[in-house]
Amino acid sequence: MRKLSIRRVDAEGAESPCPIHWIDNFAMRNFTNDAIFDDTLPIADGLLEAGHHVPLDRLQPAMEDWFRRKGYLKPTEHLNIRELSIP
């Protein structure tokens, strides 16, 4: 499993961790609708565990789309998703 940082970036460029309930909402929605994201587990604000087959290049636009539909992200905001290195 990989640990991913999920951060909201506002229009001014300031970043903040996405609340775990946003991440959980995405994970539960995709649990039944898109098998590629089944191997994800929200663990804390701004943190998501994901299997190695979860493609980050598809995860970011999918999360942004879902967060916008739920009203979590404004049109001027986006996500910064990156894999954390674990010592």
Side-chain angles (χ1 to χ4, degrees):
M1 291 293 264
R2 302 176 291 171
K3 286 197 193 299
L4 306 177
S5 168
I6 313 293
R7 300 183 65 83
R8 179 184 64 87
V9 182
D10 69 18
E12 291 78 38
E15 293 190 15
S16 59
C18 288
I20 191 170
H21 75 271
W22 292 14
I23 301 168
D24 186 53
N25 185 276
F26 173 83
M28 293 306 294
R29 175 256 182 187
N30 279 298
F31 185 79
T32 57
N33 291 336
D34 198 341
I36 194 71
F37 301 121
D38 280 357
D39 196 13
T40 60
L41 178 66
I43 53 175
D45 286 349
L47 293 175
L48 175 72
E49 284 189 346
H52 292 281
H53 73 277
V54 174
L56 297 185
D57 63 332
R58 286 186 54 197
L59 180 64
Q60 181 166 342
M63 286 186 98
E64 285 180 350
D65 178 61
W66 184 248
F67 288 177
R68 282 193 177 95
R69 284 198 249 162
K70 296 295 287 180
Y72 300 155
L73 280 183
K74 297 175 185 168
T76 58
E77 299 175 331
H78 66 276
L79 296 179
N80 179 358
I81 298 178
R82 65 177 169 35
E83 187 170 349
L84 300 173
S85 59
I86 300 171

